[in-house]
Amino acid sequence: MAGRSPQRDLTIGPVGKTLFLFALPSLGVNILQSVNHSVNSVWIGQFLGETALAASANAGMIIFLMFSALFGFSMATTILIGQNVGRGQIESVRRIMGTATGLFLAAGIAVALLGWLFAPALLRLMATPEAAYPLALAYLRVMFLSMPTSFVMILISSSLRGAGDSVTPFRNTLVNVGLDIVLNPVFILGLGPIPALGIAGSALATVIAGLISLSLLIRQVYAKDLVIRLRGEELGWLRPDAAWVKPITKMGLPMGLSMIIMSGSAVVMIGLVNREGVDTTAAFGVMNQLWSYVQMPAVAVGGAVSAMVAQNIGANKWDRVGRIAWAGAGINVLMTAVLIAAITIFATPILRLFIPAGSAAIPIAIHINLVIGWSFLLMGISVVVTFAVRANGAVIAPLLILIFATIIVRFSIGFGFYDRYGADAIWWAFNLAAISSFLLSIGYYFHGGWRKLKPLA
């Protein structure tokens, strides 16, 4: 490989330092994507009004579900590539990359076509308000056109992390987000020779930013001769190979389903929150926005743990696997604790950025955070441990744990005790779900036999 390659050998060096430095760019990606979403919402809201903002929110929920399902397959590819990089089997890495690229590109094209056709039905299914429906349809249809490039870009980024490179995906996200933010007002308002396209222009800006950043990302892969690149006869591996489709699907389906279950469970609980009235709904909505930042370290560190554990399993360095998992848990606890403490200590001034001073929603939000906030420490440990065991192909047990915690426990407590304890039953439902997930995840890590699973490929 070229000397300037940003790929990192995750099977050597001090575990804690290597993991921390590897996870930081992934955390940066999560922050950039959240900032991008927020800024684009500001453009739409300021230039086109509340109806357009509601339209983009409705369309955005559908797009989010698409990417939630895709998450599992991208993580499966990350794990397979990580294990084969650890074994030093570069040809297998490229065969996996070829199969995955063929699958993701085909899936992206299929979703784009089906999404364009069924966008009206999807929006009707969500009961999109009539005033927002035409705008939501225009926005959603253009967004569906971005699916092929978005799917491939997500695949390349996750595959690079599996190969030990988290810097290139971060730099690409920086370019993508920068372009999207700059192009949004250009296409919304019609600056220069560009016609004013309204909300469709916001979606088109996202499509164009994705095309440009994907082109630059592919150029980087080949310019730096990164391990996932395909040349010459290797391009024939873009035709999906059943030998690799099977493990990608076997792991990808349960992990994708996990994301859908988490999202669906949250939607159901929001329906319960809505019973408490607009102030509680607003308070919970704002806290969810703030908690999205609290959860970022767990996602970034968990992804880094998964790639690092996969490489070390591939290299048969099992003595490092446990150290990686617990280093990840420790790093996440520290980062999450700082964020929770900041939100708790400065709750009032932070909430006033979202809610008018004197609103009844502010004390409600503070109470919600005091009850639920600490549970993100346990949730973060569960996430990191789950990512570690998945790196050896253990995906069914984490899925069952998730179903038990987020559906059986959360719904039983929330709905079962709501009539007696009101809103506090909802908040404690989240806590008890986090506690049960933590205990079961730790139990499975120590006693689940995931280390004895057969090699994935």
Side-chain angles (χ1 to χ4, degrees):
M1 297 177 198
R4 54 203 173 107
S5 170
Q7 291 163 188
R8 183 187 293 266
D9 187 344
L10 303 177
T11 66
I12 59 175
V15 168
K17 180 180 178 181
T18 301
L19 178 61
F20 180 71
L21 293 177
F22 184 61
L24 271 183
S26 296
L27 179 59
V29 167
N30 294 338
I31 294 171
L32 285 171
Q33 289 172 340
S34 293
V35 169
N36 185 32
H37 175 74
S38 299
V39 173
N40 286 350
S41 295
V42 169
W43 289 141
I44 292 172
Q46 291 295 323
F47 294 147
L48 301 174
E50 294 88 342
T51 302
L53 192 58
S56 68
N58 274 264
M61 289 179 66
I62 295 173
I63 298 299
F64 176 75
L65 284 174
M66 297 292 175
F67 287 130
S68 294
L70 183 69
F71 164 82
F73 296 94
S74 64
M75 278 303 304
T77 306
T78 300
I79 292 166
L80 287 168
I81 286 178
Q83 288 195 5
N84 282 278
V85 166
R87 297 186 190 110
Q89 296 177 352
I90 303 306
E91 180 178 320
S92 293
V93 169
R94 291 175 180 160
R95 286 184 179 274
I96 295 165
M97 190 64 199
T99 290
T101 301
L103 288 175
F104 275 56
L105 184 58
I109 293 171
V111 169
L113 293 174
L114 293 173
W116 182 278
L117 292 173
F118 292 102
L122 290 170
L123 291 171
R124 294 295 185 197
L125 187 64
M126 290 177 59
T128 302
E130 283 300 323
Y133 176 81
L135 295 174
L137 180 60
Y139 182 84
L140 183 58
R141 276 185 158 164
V142 178
M143 284 297 295
F144 270 121
L145 296 179
S146 71
M147 292 300 102
T149 54
S150 294
F151 279 26
V152 173
M153 188 154 56
I154 289 170
L155 170 66
I156 295 175
S157 296
S158 60
S159 299
L160 286 172
R161 293 188 189 100
D165 177 9
S166 60
V167 174
T168 299
F170 170 73
R171 289 174 177 167
N172 181 66
T173 302
L174 194 61
V175 171
N176 186 34
V177 169
L179 285 170
D180 198 8
I181 290 174
V182 171
L183 291 176
N184 252 265
V186 173
F187 285 94
I188 291 174
L189 299 176
L191 303 181
I194 305 297
L197 299 174
I199 194 168
S202 175
L204 183 59
T206 299
V207 173
I208 293 173
L211 282 169
I212 294 173
S213 56
L214 176 60
S215 300
L216 293 173
L217 178 61
I218 293 173
R219 181 178 179 277
Q220 284 284 92
V221 168
Y222 282 89
K224 295 181 179 179
D225 196 33
L226 301 183
V227 70
I228 64 169
R229 63 102 181 110
L230 303 176
R231 296 184 189 276
E233 294 182 357
E234 295 171 343
L235 294 171
W237 297 339
L238 290 170
R239 181 179 300 168
D241 183 345
W244 295 113
V245 170
K246 182 178 178 180
I248 291 173
T249 305
K250 184 179 178 180
M251 286 192 294
L253 281 174
M255 288 193 285
L257 184 58
S258 297
M259 290 293 293
I260 293 172
I261 289 172
M262 288 175 63
S263 302
S265 171
V267 170
V268 172
M269 293 303 290
I270 287 172
L272 193 58
V273 172
N274 287 340
R275 296 186 190 180
E276 289 293 302
V278 67
D279 288 332
T280 301
T281 300
F284 187 69
V286 170
M287 288 314 308
N288 265 323
Q289 289 191 49
L290 296 176
W291 289 334
S292 68
Y293 290 93
V294 172
Q295 296 174 78
M296 284 181 185
V299 176
V301 173
V305 164
S306 184
M308 195 166 174
V309 168
Q311 282 199 19
N312 281 272
I313 289 175
N316 201 30
K317 294 187 176 182
W318 281 93
D319 59 305
R320 288 170 58 89
V321 168
R323 289 155 56 198
I324 294 166
W326 297 118
I331 291 170
N332 176 68
V333 165
L334 289 175
M335 296 174 76
T336 303
V338 169
L339 292 171
I340 294 171
I343 290 174
T344 302
I345 294 169
F346 302 105
T348 299
I350 292 174
L351 289 168
R352 284 177 179 169
L353 296 173
F354 300 87
I355 304 170
S359 170
I362 290 180
I364 295 173
I366 291 173
H367 174 70
I368 294 172
N369 185 59
L370 288 175
V371 176
I372 297 179
W374 64 272
S375 69
F376 287 101
L377 292 171
L378 298 182
M379 289 173 62
I381 296 173
S382 301
V383 168
V384 171
V385 169
T386 296
F387 270 87
V389 301
R390 282 173 173 167
N392 199 39
V395 292
I396 300 301
L399 174 61
L400 295 176
I401 290 171
L402 180 71
I403 291 172
F404 178 78
T406 62
I407 295 181
I408 296 176
V409 173
R410 186 178 291 176
F411 289 1
S412 296
I413 302 299
F415 286 91
F417 291 88
Y418 178 75
D419 289 339
R420 184 172 181 179
Y421 295 103
D424 278 338
I426 304 173
W427 318 142
W428 277 99
F430 283 94
N431 282 345
L432 292 173
I435 292 170
S436 59
S437 177
F438 168 77
L439 293 175
L440 290 171
S441 297
I442 295 296
Y444 181 71
Y445 178 86
F446 283 113
H447 306 293
W450 59 276
R451 295 173 181 82
K452 299 177 182 178
L453 295 176
K454 294 180 180 180
L456 295 168

